[in-house]
Amino acid sequence: MKATVKFFLFLALTATRALPAFSAGSPLQADTLNPGIVISNLAPVVINGGEWEFNLFNTLSTLKLRDMNDPDGVARSSRLDQIGRVWYNPFQSNFINFGLELRAAHQVLDADETSGPFGVFNDEAIHSLGSIGLGARLKPVRTLPEFNIQTSLTFPVEGDAFTRQQLGFDRTAWTVQGVFYQQFQPWLYVFATAGAVYQFRNEDRDQTSLTIPAGLYFVTVLKERKWYLIPSLSYASSLNYIKADSGFTRVRTSFLYGVSVQFLPADAWSIGLSLDRSIKEGPSNAPLRIVKGSYNQISLGVRYLLK
């Protein structure tokens, strides 16, 4: 893989699979998974010894919800997730990196389904710097540099119990993701990702939750290896575990298609923009059903490498 392609980072290909939160007492209230989690980016290589990597992700998503007990009741939920990550390699080899991340979220539920997603910036929205985490990124097989694993453990730092629960920052979460790529043509790379997000039960929420995401990304090299066009397909399944006799119960499945554009303005910088839309949402018997075709997501990411 050429050095230029090695270096770039698919920042906008974040896989946000957060379910909307609901106001207490709302007719749309439901005890469903709301992790507010963005899976780690697609980084084709671990950074070299002594290097620092800075990432900033911004993902705005919006959808419409229909209350199954009131088919005429439709509301719009919008959410902005912001993730800041810093990676560092203290070793001479490029086998492992260590990272620190901060996560913030802004969310609003509007009874008017025609409202726009930018209500997340208003005072009516819930805002929080919700969690802090530690992470690692490594190449587990030295003879297979095309494969890496990223993992993180995040801890809630939001002090208000209501805000923690509404934004999904009420539990410690462990995330792991594997990334594997292959080059099929000088201008085409294919990336495959799969992982899991495990949220531990605690006194705030008496349930364990598991989210399983996967994705396929077709990276097309464009002009002068500074521009990249990336169609994608992704899937996520969310489950809750409450009682031993019932096991895990599926609370949401999501199939998405998307397209991203990546730009490398300089050797140290990468900028990405992506759009994602829903193919199918489920399950159909959920207390709150996502209106078909209403889920949309836009992501903007920036990465800087300090050697």
Side-chain angles (χ1 to χ4, degrees), residues 7-18:
F7 173 73
F8 85 94
L9 183 64
F10 308 117
L11 294 177
L13 297 181
T14 52
T16 305
R17 300 293 177 264

Side-chain angles (χ1 to χ4, degrees), residues 1-16 38-47 53-59 83 85 87 137 145-146 148 150 177-183 186-193 215-222 225-232 259-265 268-276 297 299-304:
M1 194 176 189
K2 293 187 177 181
T4 305
V5 179
K6 269 188 179 180
F7 173 73
F8 85 94
L9 183 64
F10 308 117
L11 294 177
L13 297 181
T14 52
T16 305
V38 175
I39 303 301
S40 297
N41 52 277
L42 298 177
V45 293
V46 175
I47 59 175
E53 180 184 300
F54 301 90
N55 304 145
L56 177 61
F57 301 87
N58 301 274
T59 300
I83 317 307
R85 290 196 183 101
W87 294 98
R137 187 170 64 192
E146 298 88 354
N148 71 48
Q150 303 176 61
Q177 181 190 29
V179 180
F180 179 72
Y181 73 85
Q182 286 287 284
Q183 180 179 7
W187 50 269
L188 177 64
Y189 298 85
V190 177
F191 281 71
T193 70
L216 197 60
Y217 304 89
F218 304 88
V219 182
T220 305
V221 183
L222 301 180
R225 293 190 173 268
K226 288 185 175 292
W227 289 91
Y228 300 85
L229 181 66
I230 310 166
S232 63
V259 62
S260 299
V261 176
Q262 293 288 325
F263 175 53
L264 278 67
W269 290 92
S270 176
I271 302 170
L273 178 68
S274 70
L275 299 170
D276 294 277
Q297 175 179 289
S299 301
L300 175 65
V302 178
R303 182 250 200 176
Y304 176 72

Side-chain angles (χ1 to χ4, degrees), residues 73-127:
V74 177
R76 177 181 292 277
S77 179
S78 300
R79 180 179 178 118
L80 173 65
D81 284 282
Q82 295 179 298
I83 317 307
R85 290 196 183 101
V86 178
W87 294 98
Y88 178 62
N89 186 350
F91 306 109
Q92 292 184 347
S93 65
N94 65 340
F95 168 68
I96 189 170
N97 301 160
F98 296 104
L100 174 69
E101 69 177 54
L102 296 174
R103 301 187 179 190
H106 318 267
Q107 185 162 282
V108 65
L109 178 68
D110 197 323
D112 181 7
E113 62 177 294
T114 64
S115 62
F118 297 105
V120 295
F121 299 105
N122 297 335
D123 294 337
E124 293 79 9
I126 303 173
H127 309 277

